[in-house]
Amino acid sequence: MDYSNATMYQNLYTFIINSPTLISLRVRDLMRSGVIKPSQKPIWFDVYDAFPPKKEPLYVKPHTRTTKKQDPVPEILYREDEIRAKFFEQYGTGYRSFLLHKPDFVSTCQRFVDKYMELKSRDELSEAALFEETGKALLAEGITLKRRGAPPVSAESRESRLTDVSAEQQVVGAGSEETTDATHTQ
Amino acid sequence: MEPYLYGCRLEQDIIDLDQTMEHLQLALNFTAHLAYRGGIILFVSRQRQFSQLVESTAQGCGEYAHTRYWQGGLLTNAPIQYGPGVRLPDLIVFLSTLNNVFQQHVAIRDAAKMNIPTIGVVDSNCNPSLLTYPVPGNDDTPIAMELYCHLFKMIINRAKDKRKRMELLPSAASLNTSELLKKKSE
């Protein structure tokens, strides 16, 4: 086989790189025009014709989005995610860490979710009621869920403005803390 | 990469493995046919943590690997860099399409210029458009890389063994290779 293909292609260099055609089309055209002799046919040509790829290998420029367009990749969300979000918001990260060295490990949150789905299939209660029922059920099984509490806002001392302002600041601080914590755990 | 992604879970892109399966089968089939026809296969990967693995894979199947810095004219300026009448690879397999600065490897563009088909493992941060047979998959974890290397090595070795057996058979001289391809595609 004559391996002067490299020199031959160098002569057609600028033409080749400027045209956005595929290697199969290019080689077929070169063979048809007689630049590539049938004896010099590339090994992959027949194989490519017999088993073409799923998508033609044409160069697609990755688009640089200047304006915020919708992300085409769908988010994978499950129904249990709502329960998980509420769990983390209310109870924080839980008292037990994730022991991932065990292959069949079930975390506190997962147990909560399983119990919630079980209770949901059995009874017809509202969401908040179901939430509390699951908490009680888990308590019965021996898992205590410590509520992530906001700092106390005393209703009695509303005489001076100073205490009022400090109470407001505390509530605001706890709210922002909770939201940042929720995003962090997710 | 968006058509190859199943979705996005907690801001991690999940690749659709059903599509990966089909693409991988196409790519391995192409490699097998090329190895059967005596083509030169070049493994390219610029990931330093897997350079030893890629080089040993290439050695194990009797093909070539390039896991070091890619000089600009290796494919496009080959007769001058290596000497006149050098034979270029007939297939380039990218086990990671990015180089060390997270840009697309120069060899992808150069192979398209020199009419060399390419197979590449494309991760969610890669551009699969210029590869002839892209394989969407993870290119970062050792287990994934070992799987790909093992598969390619096995396929190439099997194809070469088949070739040797076919050459030993007396009826091999009468069978045309294009006839073999037509039989397989049916």
Side-chain angles (χ1 to χ4, degrees):
Chain A
M1 196 167 149
D2 185 9
Y3 297 119
S4 62
N5 286 346
T7 44
M8 186 166 59
Y9 293 162
Q10 275 178 13
N11 294 333
L12 303 165
Y13 194 69
T14 40
F15 172 70
I16 287 170
I17 56 173
N18 286 332
S19 56
T21 48
L22 320 168
I23 51 174
S24 55
L25 285 179
R26 206 188 293 145
V27 168
R28 193 175 302 137
D29 289 343
L30 285 171
M31 280 175 67
R32 212 179 288 163
S33 65
V35 179
I36 304 182
K37 310 285 182 298
S39 59
Q40 293 174 322
K41 186 169 76 166
I43 297 177
W44 53 266
F45 196 66
D46 292 327
V47 188
Y48 187 95
D49 273 339
F51 307 105
K54 279 185 175 279
K55 185 180 162 290
E56 286 187 344
L58 205 59
Y59 182 62
V60 170
K61 226 179 190 180
H63 34 218
T64 45
R65 274 178 270 196
T66 44
T67 53
K68 275 215 169 185
K69 277 190 197 167
Q70 228 187 11
D71 197 14
V73 179
E75 286 243 352
I76 302 174
L77 294 168
Y78 301 102
R79 285 201 180 274
E80 291 93 341
D81 282 346
E82 290 173 42
I83 311 165
R84 288 187 190 125
K86 273 191 230 153
F87 174 85
F88 283 122
E89 207 183 307
Q90 212 175 53
Y91 297 116
T93 43
Y95 74 104
R96 204 159 58 134
S97 53
F98 281 71
L99 304 167
L100 289 174
H101 62 264
K102 281 200 281 182
D104 55 347
F105 176 75
V106 181
S107 64
T108 327
C109 180
Q110 190 54 40
R111 285 188 74 165
F112 187 91
V113 166
D114 294 336
K115 184 63 67 163
Y116 187 99
M117 301 305 284
E118 202 188 303
L119 288 175
K120 192 169 177 180
S121 60
R122 264 197 285 152
D123 317 312
E124 283 294 324
L125 295 169
S126 72
E127 276 185 38
L130 264 177
F131 216 72
E132 290 193 27
E133 286 296 312
T134 1
K136 286 179 205 164
L138 281 180
L139 229 141
E141 282 178 18
I143 306 171
T144 41
L145 297 167
K146 203 173 113 177
R147 203 174 262 258
R148 194 165 41 142
V153 181
S154 49
E156 298 125 357
S157 60
R158 284 189 187 231
E159 297 138 12
S160 59
R161 275 204 178 170
L162 279 170
T163 48
D164 246 337
V165 167
S166 68
E168 273 175 24
Q169 277 185 344
Q170 270 191 341
V171 170
V172 164
S176 61
E177 225 181 43
E178 273 192 285
T179 45
T180 48
D181 273 340
T183 49
H184 179 68
T185 50
Q186 266 197 337
Chain B
M1 273 311 282
E2 270 125 25
Y4 303 125
L5 292 178
Y6 182 75
C8 180
R9 173 77 173 158
L10 301 177
E11 291 170 53
Q12 280 278 348
D13 290 323
I14 310 290
I15 297 173
D16 189 2
L17 287 180
D18 295 323
Q19 290 189 44
T20 300
M21 191 62 189
E22 297 166 349
H23 284 92
L24 188 60
Q25 277 178 343
L26 269 177
L28 291 174
N29 178 44
F30 189 81
T31 335
H33 276 284
L34 272 191
Y36 180 87
R37 290 163 162 236
I40 293 178
I41 298 169
L42 181 68
F43 290 93
V44 174
S45 167
R46 199 56 182 102
Q47 283 194 317
R48 286 184 174 129
Q49 64 264 39
F50 305 121
S51 71
Q52 170 62 27
L53 176 67
V54 170
E55 285 173 355
S56 57
T57 311
Q59 209 170 32
C61 52
E63 297 294 343
Y64 305 85
H66 186 105
T67 54
R68 313 288 168 175
Y69 176 71
W70 183 277
Q71 281 188 318
L74 280 188
L75 289 177
T76 44
N77 205 18
I80 297 171
Q81 290 211 339
Y82 289 108
V86 70
R87 183 175 166 184
L88 291 178
D90 301 302
L91 172 68
I92 299 185
V93 179
F94 289 93
L95 290 153
S96 163
T97 50
L98 299 178
N99 61 13
N100 284 334
V101 271
F102 299 106
Q103 288 169 346
Q104 206 186 34
H105 203 293
V106 172
I108 297 176
R109 197 199 60 198
D110 283 352
K113 282 183 195 170
M114 303 308 294
N115 293 335
I116 299 169
T118 41
I119 290 174
V121 176
V122 280
D123 207 348
S124 47
N125 55 352
C126 308
N127 183 8
S129 54
L130 208 49
L131 297 158
T132 29
Y133 294 92
V135 177
N138 193 5
D139 61 0
D140 297 314
T141 46
I143 289 182
M145 289 302 279
E146 278 167 22
L147 174 74
Y148 297 129
C149 289
H150 168 74
L151 283 173
F152 277 107
K153 187 159 76 170
M154 182 181 72
I155 292 274
I156 291 169
N157 281 331
R158 277 194 197 174
K160 287 186 172 172
D161 288 338
K162 179 86 182 177
R163 179 73 185 193
K164 274 190 209 149
R165 273 185 278 141
M166 294 298 280
E167 279 175 359
L168 289 173
L169 284 174
S171 58
S174 55
L175 264 178
N176 203 358
T177 38
S178 57
E179 284 178 28
L180 271 172
L181 273 175
K182 276 185 213 158
K183 278 189 198 170
K184 282 207 172 158
S185 57
E186 272 161 27

